[in-house]
């Protein structure tokens, strides 16, 4: 599966999340060959679980499917820049490649905020980080969701 197709799947998952009253974030984990291991969208409100972010749920599901807590060589595709919690989880799951859509200057931890992967003490860094993939579409989903929420 190409990066673009994986991001389109993540955007579709984000749309599902919004329809359920969740912040529209979707995530896809691909194996080394580009096959989908797991998908998820935010489930914070549904599960009453502040840690139920799309990328964390997708990585958990992929690890179960692989039978290993390490996702070495896998790619995480997510519609929003990971927060500090999810960026830390990416290090522990040993994600090989990170691709994300919208930037999050307020809550992100990759290109904003603590920039976790740039810290000297970081346990593991994805070998490749690609940001801004379908950024306009991902950002628009978030803007529309929060606009409707405030109306």
């Amino acid at each position: 599966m190409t990066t673009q197709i994986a991001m389109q799947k993540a955007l579709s998952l984000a749309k599902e999340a919004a329809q359920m009253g969740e912040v529209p974030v979707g995530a896809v984990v691909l194996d080394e060959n580009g096959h989908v291991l797991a998908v998820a969208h935010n489930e914070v409100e549904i599960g009453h679980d502040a840690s139920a972010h799309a990328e964390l749920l997708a990585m958990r599901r992929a690890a179960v499917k692989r039978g290993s807590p390490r996702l070495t060589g896998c790619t995480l595709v997510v519609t929003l820049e990971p927060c500090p919690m999810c960026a830390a989880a990416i290090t522990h799951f040993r994600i090989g490649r990170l691709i994300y859509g919208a930037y999050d200057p307020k809550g992100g931890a990759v290109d904003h905020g603590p920039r976790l992967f740039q810290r000297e003490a970081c346990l593991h860094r994805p070998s490749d980080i690609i940001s801004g993939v379908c950024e306009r579409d991902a950002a628009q989903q978030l803007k529309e969701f929060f606009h409707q929420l405030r109306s």
Side-chain angles (χ1 to χ4, degrees):
M1 177 176 285
T2 68
T3 298
Q4 201 71 19
I5 293 171
M7 184 58 79
Q8 290 302 317
K9 176 64 177 166
L11 287 165
S12 175
L13 291 160
K15 183 177 180 179
E16 286 178 33
Q19 292 168 344
M20 300 169 77
E22 296 284 351
V23 173
V25 178
V28 176
V29 177
L30 305 172
D31 69 12
E32 299 87 340
N33 299 312
H35 299 114
V36 175
L37 275 176
V39 300
H41 58 65
N42 276 3
E43 296 181 16
V44 172
E45 301 301 327
I46 294 165
H48 310 291
D49 180 356
S51 72
H53 290 195
E55 52 268 62
L56 194 51
L57 294 173
M59 289 186 294
R60 286 176 182 163
R61 293 170 186 166
V64 168
K65 190 167 183 179
R66 273 193 134 181
S68 171
R70 284 167 290 287
L71 299 172
T72 308
C74 292
T75 298
L76 172 64
V77 179
V78 62
T79 58
L80 180 64
E81 178 180 355
C83 71
M85 174 182 68
C86 293
I90 287 166
T91 68
H92 288 280
F93 278 103
R94 307 292 197 268
I95 288 289
R97 185 174 184 220
L98 170 64
I99 298 168
Y100 73 85
Y103 297 95
D104 189 354
K106 189 174 179 181
V110 178
D111 289 315
H112 297 89
R115 300 176 189 218
L116 189 72
F117 303 132
Q118 295 176 24
R119 294 185 170 266
E120 189 176 318
C122 184
L123 292 171
H124 166 83
R125 294 166 184 80
S127 60
D128 196 16
I129 298 172
I130 302 170
S131 55
V133 175
C134 298
E135 190 269 337
R136 287 184 186 174
D137 294 335
Q140 187 62 37
Q141 278 187 331
L142 290 158
K143 286 177 189 168
E144 287 175 9
F145 175 81
F146 286 112
H147 177 73
Q148 288 178 0
L149 194 64
R150 292 180 187 114
S151 303

